[in-house]
Amino acid sequence: MSTETLRAGKRTVEVSRADKVFFPDDGITKGELAEYYRQVAPALVRHARARPVAAERFPDGITGQRVFQKNVGEHFPDWIRRAEVPKKEGGTIVHAVCDDAATLVYLADQGCVTPHCWLSRTDQLDTPDRLIFDLDPATQDLEQLRLAARGMGTLLDELGLVPFLMSTGSRGFHVVAPLRREHTFDHVRNFARDAAALLAEREPKALTVEQRKEDRGRRIFLDYLRNAYAQTAVAPYSVRAKPTAPVATPLEWEELDTTEPWHHTMTTAVERIQRYGDSWSNFTRRARSLRQPRQRLDRLIGR
DNA sequence: GAAGTAA
DNA sequence: TTACTTCAACGCCAT
DNA sequence: ATGGCG
Ligand SMILES: [Mn+2]
Ligand SMILES: [Mn+2]
């Protein structure tokens, strides 16, 4: 039954129904999805290693049912690392940990189009090592979107953090800053909320932090709520479940004005990495404490 | 996608 | 064997 | 406590 065998580093992973079409508009198969993850694994894993991962699965392709899976299945092979993580209000979840190419290939075989990673690592689940702003547009206005991303990047830079940019493959961008693991999610989220609210106050017609869609109107939602325990963000270089198979792609800030959020795809992302490497290669080295940024932000908002 | 049950 | 069903998340916030 | 939201 068209089972393919992929070598991924140390492991050999079987991909069942490798010729099953997952992206009907593009003819992309599950086998090609698995092969994609094998190829980008070195770059992807550098950003995802040691993090609990949730799998956004489409067992019958992207036009079929969507499943968001956290617990590893009983049938998962024993070489996939697991982390038993407490839920906020009791109970636990046994997550897979996104540690190597073979795990990504195995998840692809399970129909996982998009892996979603925690913002913290298994050895310190309560203290995130990244701060994320998820810019979600309500319209196709790229001008406003770029203004928002540039504004957030500039603000973080002025506060003493080092912002990085990623196109999500969907409609927006992520602006992400690496952190020293000194603060809890609650503290980081408070900072994120204050920064986002400040920006929204400066551009009230273009930006908002309102949660309810109805209250956002046509404004861009500065989603700071991703900065919470057990919340996730699409992994860099992950594929999105949309026609063209777009890819969440780390960018240079210089590319913001010329790159659409959905520009890169399974095909171009591989070429991009081969030619230019990973735009976030220095991400970890740019980690900063939130202490001074917190004080500077307090001053900016008048405290 | 995997596993269980009914036919 | 095939056909079919079921299951596979959770935290924050506003109300 | 519930529902929207991502
Ligand atoms: Mn199925
Ligand atoms: Mn988003």
Side-chain angles (χ1 to χ4, degrees):
Chain A
M1 287 221 29
S2 78
T3 294
E4 268 181 20
T5 301
L6 269 72
R7 189 88 208 197
K10 185 182 173 184
R11 307 289 175 186
T12 293
V13 184
E14 305 254 295
V15 178
S16 70
R17 294 171 173 82
D19 56 355
K20 183 171 183 174
V21 175
F22 260 43
F23 296 80
D25 289 0
D26 311 282
I28 296 168
T29 64
K30 192 174 78 167
E32 291 169 323
L33 180 70
E35 171 61 18
Y36 167 80
Y37 276 113
R38 193 184 66 78
Q39 290 198 105
V40 302
L44 195 165
V45 167
R46 270 198 288 279
H47 302 296
R49 181 183 302 276
R51 299 168 196 281
V53 60
E56 187 182 0
R57 297 174 55 207
F58 297 81
D60 298 307
I62 64 167
T63 54
Q65 190 193 9
R66 170 185 183 269
V67 175
F68 200 86
Q69 182 167 354
K70 294 190 170 181
N71 283 288
V72 301
E74 302 291 333
H75 57 282
F76 278 35
D78 57 15
W79 50 260
I80 288 185
R81 178 144 80 102
R82 292 152 165 80
E84 181 166 6
V85 305
K87 291 197 260 189
K88 207 77 200 263
E89 310 236 342
T92 64
I93 288 181
V94 180
H95 271 274
V97 180
C98 196
D99 270 357
D100 51 36
T103 297
L104 291 168
V105 172
Y106 182 81
L107 291 176
D109 173 55
Q110 290 294 297
C112 174
V113 172
T114 314
H116 296 248
C117 289
W118 279 39
L119 304 179
S120 58
R121 305 203 295 264
T122 56
D123 60 334
Q124 288 184 43
L125 290 170
D126 298 319
T127 51
D129 63 1
R130 54 184 63 167
L131 164 70
I132 180 170
F133 294 91
D134 171 20
L135 279 49
D136 289 336
T139 71
Q140 295 267 31
D141 189 338
L142 285 174
E143 203 75 32
Q144 294 289 63
L145 179 61
R146 287 167 173 149
L147 183 83
R150 198 177 304 114
M152 186 56 74
T154 300
L155 175 57
L156 294 181
D157 180 64
E158 288 167 356
L159 292 173
L161 295 169
V162 184
F164 287 79
L165 178 68
M166 182 169 80
S167 63
T168 63
S170 185
R171 299 162 53 110
F173 291 102
H174 285 180
V175 177
V176 187
L179 299 177
R180 290 190 201 167
R181 297 191 288 175
E182 296 175 350
H183 300 284
T184 64
F185 274 106
D186 286 353
H187 186 87
V188 171
R189 186 172 61 257
N190 283 338
F191 176 88
R193 183 239 297 137
D194 292 343
L198 173 61
L199 212 59
E201 277 174 35
R202 289 176 177 174
E203 296 287 344
K205 286 196 270 203
L207 312 177
T208 181
V209 293
E210 293 291 340
Q211 285 183 237
R212 301 189 62 107
K213 281 186 169 182
E214 193 182 319
D215 299 331
R216 293 179 202 162
R218 303 171 71 79
R219 295 174 292 181
I220 291 161
F221 176 43
L222 303 177
D223 183 1
Y224 65 90
L225 286 166
R226 302 303 86 221
N227 300 285
Y229 180 79
Q231 297 306 294
T232 58
V234 296
Y237 302 109
S238 60
V239 180
R240 309 308 302 275
K242 295 172 171 295
T244 75
V247 166
T249 306
L251 301 175
E252 306 294 332
W253 278 102
E254 292 70 26
E255 297 177 288
L256 174 59
D257 288 337
T258 54
T259 309
E260 296 156 323
W262 50 85
H263 175 78
H264 289 289
T265 66
M266 276 176 58
T267 307
T268 70
V270 170
E271 294 172 358
R272 175 184 173 88
I273 293 172
Q274 284 175 353
R275 289 183 198 166
Y276 307 110
D278 175 16
S279 286
W280 284 17
S281 58
N282 287 319
F283 187 91
T284 304
R285 281 185 275 276
R286 297 292 175 263
R288 299 287 187 269
S289 171
L290 209 50
R291 196 169 69 190
Q292 175 179 284
R294 177 71 263 185
Q295 290 183 335
R296 290 182 177 178
L297 182 54
D298 280 339
R299 191 134 319 181
L300 277 183
I301 63 183
R303 282 204 241 185

